[in-house]
Amino acid sequence: MNFSFSDEQEYFRAMLREFSQSELLPHYTKWDRENTHPRHLWKKLGELGVNGLRIPEAFGGSGAECVTTGIAAEEIGRGDFNLTYGVMLNALISEILTNHATDQLKRTWLPEIANGNKIMGIAITEPAAGTDAAGIRSTAVHKGDKYILNGEKSGISVATIGDAFIVFAKTDLNSGSKGISAFVVPADLPGVECKGYEDMGNVPIGRGSIYLTDVEVPEENLIGLENNGFFQVMNGFDLSRLLIGLQCAGAAFQSLDETIEHVKTRHAFGKPLAKNQGVSFPIVTHYTQLELIKWQAYRGLWLRDKNKKHSKEASSVKWLGPKYAQEAIHECMLLNGHYAYTKEMPLEQRLRDVIGLEIGDGTAQANQMVIARELIGKEFKPY
């Protein structure tokens, strides 16, 4: 057993840690307050090689291991939690396109994703289909050399800032999950309308709804085989769930580091706060929980790199990672006192941002269902 990172990975971590601390963290709250997306930083991640980690070298990426991608998620999460969506989304989208799209689609989109010029989202969720993704109602009808898409997607990250989306729609209305196909849909096509939400957190991500009205998509924009889209993306969620766990852990570890410095220097009743076990023990508790999540996440990424099963590992990380992270950040807020409740400090925003990922990419209950299916057997699943 070897729990060490390679020299190259350690260098990559150090480089991203410095970038996060010097260029991301000082401006983290700015984008939330201004309700803007820092597209220039998305492009900066492209220059640093972060956006193209899971893209083959032939298409402008580095073809890095999943473990290396996890390092990026953790370190960027320390500086700007919302920019880590670039790591998670790009990794998921890159794998879908690399493994299933035509060469033309790969040449068109992968280099642009890698360099940060284009932002692409994933559009699966609908008003009546969230956890039950197989229940989507959007349709894609094949006519001539085009598909005609109609429907509504909701809760879509980068809905208002994305240049294109991988849209999942029914091409066979009577086959459930076996009748779903995936398409690359540019945001500027006629009939595509995107409307943003006023969210509690993750404001710069531009989450919202996408409305599709008789959208004509060239048949070459079909990803993989018709009626096979659902299965193409389900495997990808194992990757994104592991990255989300590290994204949340990174934000929580940063909060703990800041809080440790605070309790060492803040005095009450003639001594530093850190001398009180009522202060130090909660910090220890949250640190321990986050370490467990972190190493389970890297183990899951290692399993993926080795082409071994990792669904229950991914779901355990997605279930408990955001939960433990928001609990740790909440505790840090309390230990920093009343000033931490203001928007002058990043803690309140981290708390709002992390809570959003207790929902996205599978709720706690959905992930427990995955784990139960893996442990007990598919024949005992509740659906």
Side-chain angles (χ1 to χ4, degrees):
M1 299 177 73
N2 183 355
F3 290 93
S4 64
F5 296 101
S6 69
D7 291 343
E8 184 179 11
Q9 288 170 331
E10 291 290 3
Y11 173 83
F12 186 59
R13 181 187 294 279
M15 182 267 289
L16 289 183
R17 177 72 62 91
E18 195 281 328
F19 172 72
S20 287
Q21 299 295 311
S22 63
E23 297 193 42
L24 299 184
L25 185 57
H27 307 290
Y28 167 54
T29 61
K30 172 182 172 67
W31 319 119
D32 178 272
R33 309 293 181 260
E34 297 180 356
N35 192 15
T36 58
H37 174 73
R39 192 155 186 137
H40 65 287
L41 290 175
W42 198 288
K43 292 192 69 172
K44 181 66 175 179
L45 292 181
E47 294 172 8
L48 294 174
V50 172
N51 291 336
L53 286 169
R54 295 299 294 159
I55 294 176
E57 292 183 25
F59 297 102
S62 59
E65 295 176 323
C66 292
V67 169
T68 302
T69 309
I71 292 172
E74 182 185 355
E75 295 303 329
I76 300 298
R78 279 178 167 268
D80 189 323
F81 184 83
N82 292 307
L83 272 180
T84 319
Y85 275 80
V87 181
M88 183 268 291
L89 271 178
N90 287 338
L92 174 56
I93 289 165
S94 297
E95 287 207 356
I96 293 173
L97 294 180
T98 297
N99 294 331
H100 304 288
T102 63
D103 283 342
Q104 179 58 46
L105 277 180
K106 294 176 187 177
R107 287 194 297 269
T108 300
W109 291 102
L110 288 178
E112 294 293 282
I113 292 172
N115 61 31
N117 286 335
K118 300 293 184 182
I119 297 174
M120 187 177 284
I122 295 245
I124 302 178
T125 302
E126 298 183 1
T131 298
D132 180 15
I136 66 174
R137 298 175 181 175
S138 295
T139 60
V141 178
H142 198 180
K143 289 186 177 181
D145 60 352
K146 296 182 176 64
Y147 284 88
I148 311 301
L149 272 62
N150 284 279
E152 176 186 349
K153 298 296 182 178
S154 59
I156 307 304
S157 297
V158 307
T160 62
I161 62 175
D163 299 292
F165 306 96
I166 295 181
V167 174
F168 291 78
K170 285 282 182 71
T171 40
D172 183 343
L173 299 178
N174 301 313
S175 298
S177 61
K178 295 180 180 179
I180 297 174
S181 300
F183 305 86
V184 172
V185 180
D188 58 0
L189 283 183
V192 177
E193 183 182 7
C194 304
K195 292 185 178 180
Y197 301 156
E198 291 187 11
D199 279 345
M200 171 182 173
N202 303 131
V203 172
I205 293 305
R207 200 174 70 97
S209 290
I210 302 172
Y211 302 91
L212 307 165
T213 305
D214 293 331
V215 179
E216 296 186 0
V217 178
E219 62 184 359
E220 55 264 29
N221 282 29
L222 173 69
I223 302 173
L225 300 175
E226 187 173 277
N227 299 327
N228 202 42
F230 184 79
F231 303 101
Q232 291 170 183
V233 77
M234 284 300 104
N235 178 263
F237 275 130
D238 284 342
L239 172 61
S240 63
R241 286 169 175 169
L242 293 165
L243 297 177
I244 283 171
L246 288 168
Q247 171 186 1
C248 293
F253 276 126
Q254 180 65 31
S255 300
L256 285 176
D257 289 348
E258 294 166 359
T259 300
I260 289 170
E261 290 305 308
H262 172 74
V263 300
K264 286 162 64 175
T265 56
R266 176 64 186 265
H267 285 67
F269 304 106
K271 62 181 180 180
L273 289 178
K275 284 183 174 286
N276 297 288
Q277 290 179 342
V279 171
S280 62
F281 282 10
I283 290 174
V284 168
T285 297
H286 293 299
Y287 170 82
T288 302
Q289 290 175 338
L290 291 169
E291 278 286 297
L292 295 174
I293 290 298
K294 182 178 79 172
W295 286 108
Q296 175 75 323
Y298 280 118
R299 177 172 175 268
L301 292 170
W302 177 85
L303 288 169
R304 189 176 183 89
D305 281 328
K306 300 296 183 182
N307 294 316
K308 297 178 182 292
K309 291 185 64 175
H310 55 287
S311 290
K312 66 179 184 297
E313 289 79 9
S315 285
S316 66
V317 167
K318 176 57 182 65
W319 162 30
L320 292 174
K323 178 180 187 294
Y324 285 166
Q326 66 89 358
E327 289 174 353
I329 295 167
H330 186 195
E331 189 79 61
C332 289
M333 190 184 237
L334 300 180
L335 292 176
N336 276 272
H338 72 89
Y339 193 57
Y341 193 61
T342 72
K343 292 189 175 182
E344 296 298 313
M345 294 180 68
L347 289 169
E348 63 85 26
Q349 184 181 327
R350 286 198 195 112
L351 184 60
R352 290 187 284 113
D353 287 346
V354 166
I355 285 174
L357 283 179
E358 291 190 89
I359 303 171
D361 270 49
T363 62
Q365 295 84 355
N367 282 287
Q368 288 175 55
M369 287 166 60
V370 172
I371 298 169
R373 182 191 69 202
E374 295 291 315
L375 287 179
I376 303 172
K378 292 182 179 180
E379 63 271 29
F380 296 100
K381 66 184 182 180
Y383 55 92

